[in-house]
Amino acid sequence: MYTAELQKTARIASTEDPDKLAAFEARVAADEFIEPKDWMPEAYRRTLTRQISQHAHSEIVGMLPEGNWISRAPSLRRKAILLAKVQDEAGHGLYLYSAAETLGTSRQEMIEALHSGKAKYSTIFNYPTLTWADIGAIGWLVDGAAIMNQVPLQRTSYGPYARAMVRVCKEESFHQRQGYEIMMHLAAGTVEQKRMAQDALNRWWWPSLMMFGPPDENSPNTEQSMRWRIKRDTNDDLRQKFVDITKPQADAIGLNVPDPDLRWNEEKGGHDFGEVDWDEFYAVVKGEGPVAKERMKARRDAWEQNAWVREAADAYAQKQIRKREAA
Amino acid sequence: MPSLPPIRPEDEAVAKVRGNTGAFDAPPVAEEDRVRFDYLLRLGDDSLILGQRLSEYCGHAPSVEVDLSLANMGLDLIGQATHFLEYASKVEGAGRDGDALAFRRDVLDFRNCWLVEQPNGDFAQTMARQFLFSTWQKLLFGQLTASADEMIAAIAAKAVKEVTYHEELSAEWVIRLGDGTDESRRRMKEGLDWNWRFIPELFEMDEIAAEMTSRGIGADVGSFREEYDRKVRAVIEQATLEVPSDQRPILGGRRGHHSENLGHILAPMQYLQRTYPDATW
């Protein structure tokens, strides 16, 4: 899964040492990786911490809509695949939290920021998974959009993030294929299955386009992030690429993309497509998504109701240390 | 009625010298296979139902690390269930595949033990259940690696490695929670108390289990009862808890007589297959 940057970028403080800043910018411009111990401007650190932790939160919250279907998966094979996929998301969350921690913020702090509503996660996970076809649509569209975003991030300037992305991308490509395979199967199935598949595409199409973030003219972060090689493509470029790749995939299995303005534009060598409902996007960013409250409640409950488990693990570890010291 | 060819005298002559080839009935399923089928259902259903239970946790565990390990165990168990049920369907030879066995049988035809269908409860209850079951399952699969049935032996050989990890992980949690804080200690005690009643069923030797053992196919569960008790007691002691007291055994799962939980586990699990009986997925 992926999260677009959703908060305003930090300005470069005028107090940064100009020589260090110049050296840093030169390294980044030469496509060198920045490592945790290297000097970096505070704004770079803050932007990355926000982006990587949002990405981590998205992986963890993203387990919920799909987790909703593990116990109802329609065959043993589908059940195993879905369970493995959701397990992958947990793994992604774990190494993204670790990558973010190398910038000096603890996992505890990041999780608290998520639970207090201060930190954001991808808007896509605030939509409900209604039918089995939604599991197909999420894999196909949501993970498809994620790959589009994450492939360039394998060359992002911050070393730990770039390396995490290499592994994440391999797994996302499996996720995307399994989702498309579910859709392919449903689209070739019974009348009810086709209906499910088309309905899932209708509901997930626009939220998937929103995953790339606001339009470029409205994305003040993009320029700075691209200069620092945190980002390698603009939101609109990635969105265009996604539409161009996904439309023929829908055609191939006989599903209709729910956009009357979608058509091939020979001149630009890409599709024209309708305007995303940005009011809806910003409402979801604000926390007004259809199941936003359910998602946050599930995360908070899991964390708070199991606090005793983490406390017990700490207490036990402390006892073991004391025992070793006494011995 | 259409006209039929006449029975000619030469046909009658052939019929006279033909031997008696059998009864007028569908080819019989060997008694051995029916018993083996039932035994495979026990193995497969245990893994399936516990895997289903663990997957309910996904996304709701105490930490990301625990989420990973619970999903990992669930995945192992669903994999074991798939192997056992696919093989059961071949042994049965009635045209039902592994999915049909998992998604189209009702409570009375499920052969899992009561322990695996117990509710997750809190994390302590989940880990107590896992520990009591995985300790048993590891001993069971260990013996089944020498089964005279090559397929069972092969599945067990793969699975025993998986459940070795399940046993270790759950034992560590029993110890950690038992010897953690006052609250975790109380919860682990309650978790063990809840699940303790279902241990005797794991060691039940009914006719089917006995016949499978005598054929060298099934495990002789009685032979590792002492080892099981020793292992369980050692972990509970390390957790600084008391071993719960025994009660009259609760039996029935192996013959389709389950707790009230199973119906509620099957309802969501089978809902798509039942709602759209003509669909494939």
Side-chain angles (χ1 to χ4, degrees):
Chain A
M1 302 294 171
Y2 167 83
T3 174
E5 280 178 89
L6 299 173
Q7 290 160 343
K8 287 220 167 20
T9 199
R11 297 259 167 268
I12 308 173
S14 54
T15 51
E16 300 283 18
D17 180 330
D19 292 342
K20 283 184 177 167
L21 186 60
F24 170 85
E25 300 227 336
R27 283 187 67 194
V28 167
D31 273 338
E32 279 183 47
F33 282 128
I34 304 300
E35 295 300 334
K37 286 183 177 160
D38 296 344
W39 184 89
M40 62 187 84
E42 268 317 298
Y44 177 85
R45 186 185 298 277
R46 275 200 302 278
T47 304
L48 266 174
T49 302
R50 188 178 58 241
Q51 182 171 331
I52 302 173
S53 66
Q54 275 181 19
H55 192 160
H57 297 328
S58 298
E59 300 284 356
I60 299 302
V61 178
M63 294 169 73
L64 297 170
E66 291 179 290
N68 181 37
W69 276 92
I70 295 173
S71 57
R72 292 179 289 171
S75 71
L76 293 169
R77 176 173 167 264
R78 295 287 183 205
K79 192 186 288 292
I81 292 173
L82 183 56
L83 192 50
K85 176 181 192 292
V86 181
Q87 188 192 24
D88 283 349
E89 317 289 7
H92 298 173
L94 201 55
Y95 38 83
L96 284 164
Y97 279 130
S98 303
E101 281 187 308
T102 62
L103 292 159
T105 307
S106 72
R107 201 202 310 181
Q108 178 79 23
E109 290 171 291
M110 289 184 261
I111 288 176
E112 279 164 12
L114 172 69
H115 292 176
S116 72
K118 201 174 134 218
K120 302 291 176 196
Y121 57 91
S122 185
T123 50
I124 194 85
F125 303 118
N126 294 313
Y127 293 86
T129 47
L130 278 192
T131 71
W132 173 249
D134 289 30
I135 299 308
I138 288 183
W140 174 32
L141 302 175
V142 176
D143 292 303
I147 293 169
M148 208 115 328
N149 269 309
Q150 288 168 182
V151 165
L153 288 176
Q154 293 176 98
R155 293 177 298 118
T156 192
S157 59
Y158 189 56
Y161 193 28
R163 288 188 288 274
M165 281 308 104
V166 173
R167 180 160 169 195
V168 167
C169 281
K170 279 186 197 146
E171 293 177 347
E172 294 294 3
S173 126
F174 148 75
H175 296 172
Q176 202 261 351
R177 282 203 304 266
Q178 68 86 35
Y180 188 64
E181 200 233 329
I182 289 177
M183 291 304 259
M184 213 160 59
H185 206 88
L186 294 175
T190 65
V191 174
E192 291 106 329
Q193 285 175 309
K194 273 181 215 158
R195 177 177 170 225
M196 265 182 221
Q198 183 61 55
D199 185 74
L201 175 56
N202 293 350
R203 282 180 290 111
W204 290 93
W205 175 256
W206 293 106
S208 296
L209 295 191
M210 293 176 197
M211 285 176 72
F212 298 95
D216 291 346
E217 75 258 22
N218 230 336
S219 179
N221 308 349
T222 295
E223 197 191 329
Q224 178 67 70
S225 284
M226 287 186 69
R227 201 154 74 98
W228 277 345
R229 304 279 201 269
I230 293 174
K231 238 177 136 141
R232 316 247 5 176
D233 299 272
T234 74
N235 297 351
D236 285 338
D237 285 349
L238 289 170
R239 195 166 10 249
Q240 179 70 49
K241 209 170 149 193
F242 176 77
V243 172
D244 290 341
I245 287 180
T246 311
K247 166 72 166 78
Q249 293 175 344
D251 292 343
I253 54 176
L255 296 179
N256 301 316
V257 174
D259 178 358
D261 298 325
L262 181 65
R263 62 182 58 83
W264 179 254
N265 179 333
E266 193 60 49
E267 215 171 290
K268 80 171 183 187
H271 291 87
D272 290 330
F273 54 96
E275 181 72 7
V276 173
D277 181 349
W278 292 112
D279 287 343
E280 175 176 326
F281 170 74
Y282 286 112
V284 179
V285 168
K286 262 196 293 182
E288 295 175 2
V291 294
K293 285 199 191 309
E294 286 83 347
R295 298 289 183 246
M296 285 314 296
K297 184 178 184 316
R299 284 316 312 158
R300 281 193 208 107
D301 284 354
W303 191 251
E304 287 162 14
Q305 289 168 12
N306 287 305
W308 66 272
V309 176
R310 297 187 301 275
E311 284 158 18
D314 286 345
Y316 179 76
Q318 289 303 320
K319 279 185 201 176
Q320 296 314 106
I321 290 168
R322 282 200 297 277
K323 264 189 206 161
R324 270 200 299 278
E325 283 169 357
Chain B
M1 194 161 162
S3 71
L4 296 168
I7 297 168
R8 302 165 304 168
E10 48 271 74
D11 297 329
E12 288 181 68
V14 173
K16 230 176 232 175
V17 295
R18 278 279 166 102
N20 185 359
T21 51
F24 290 98
D25 197 359
V29 174
E31 184 64 20
E32 179 201 348
D33 278 350
R34 242 182 299 164
V35 172
R36 197 194 304 242
F37 173 66
D38 207 278
Y39 191 71
L40 285 164
L41 290 184
R42 295 176 181 197
L43 297 172
D45 291 347
D46 277 353
S47 294
L48 176 61
I49 298 302
L50 188 55
Q52 179 76 5
R53 271 294 191 219
L54 287 176
S55 67
E56 291 169 13
Y57 247 104
C58 205
H60 307 278
S63 72
V64 189
E65 287 85 347
V66 177
D67 242 323
L68 275 166
S69 51
L70 292 179
N72 198 29
M73 289 197 289
L75 204 48
D76 289 342
L77 289 160
I78 299 295
Q80 293 162 14
T82 306
H83 289 307
F84 282 127
L85 294 179
E86 288 293 345
Y87 182 43
S89 76
K90 286 202 181 73
V91 169
E92 187 192 34
R96 293 196 281 184
D97 63 6
D99 280 334
L101 289 175
F103 297 100
R104 299 289 174 89
R105 279 178 299 150
D106 200 359
V107 166
L108 290 179
D109 291 321
F110 266 79
R111 292 287 177 263
N112 59 280
C113 61
W114 279 53
L115 180 59
V116 293
E117 64 194 41
Q118 292 311 302
N120 288 337
D122 63 13
F123 184 65
Q125 191 171 317
T126 298
M127 282 299 112
R129 182 186 64 199
Q130 194 68 43
F131 168 64
L132 297 179
F133 182 75
S134 298
T135 304
W136 175 79
Q137 207 187 23
K138 188 194 159 193
L139 293 166
L140 176 81
F141 285 168
Q143 230 184 58
L144 289 178
T145 55
S147 171
D149 182 318
E150 283 176 13
M151 183 63 99
I152 293 179
I155 299 170
K158 178 175 183 287
V160 76
K161 293 176 202 147
E162 298 164 349
V163 301
T164 299
Y165 162 73
H166 302 181
E167 184 195 2
E168 281 170 14
L169 181 113
S170 55
E172 280 169 17
W173 275 111
V174 170
I175 294 165
R176 209 175 275 138
L177 296 178
D179 192 17
T181 61
D182 288 346
E183 182 180 4
S184 70
R185 178 183 181 75
R186 172 182 61 76
R187 287 176 183 264
M188 182 44 78
K189 181 187 176 307
E190 286 169 5
L192 287 168
D193 281 345
W194 181 274
N195 289 300
W196 196 257
R197 323 167 256 171
F198 309 115
I199 294 174
E201 189 186 26
L202 303 175
F203 292 95
E204 186 192 9
M205 251 314 186
D206 66 357
E207 278 178 13
I208 285 172
E211 186 179 333
M212 281 291 100
T213 308
S214 72
R215 289 175 183 274
I217 294 171
D220 177 6
V221 284
S223 70
F224 52 76
R225 176 75 209 238
E226 266 179 42
E227 192 180 351
Y228 177 85
D229 287 346
R230 203 167 51 243
K231 280 179 150 193
V232 166
R233 270 159 214 276
V235 168
I236 293 177
E237 269 167 35
Q238 213 186 324
T240 70
L241 293 170
E242 278 175 29
V243 176
S245 47
D246 294 329
Q247 65 153 64
R248 182 185 165 93
I250 297 170
L251 306 174
R254 303 304 187 195
R255 288 166 296 286
H257 295 162
H258 296 275
S259 72
E260 292 169 347
N261 296 302
L262 187 61
H264 294 280
I265 295 172
L266 298 185
M269 188 175 96
Q270 299 181 334
Y271 124 84
L272 274 175
Q273 292 262 356
R274 301 269 190 199
T275 310
Y276 304 102
D278 301 327
T280 62
W281 304 91

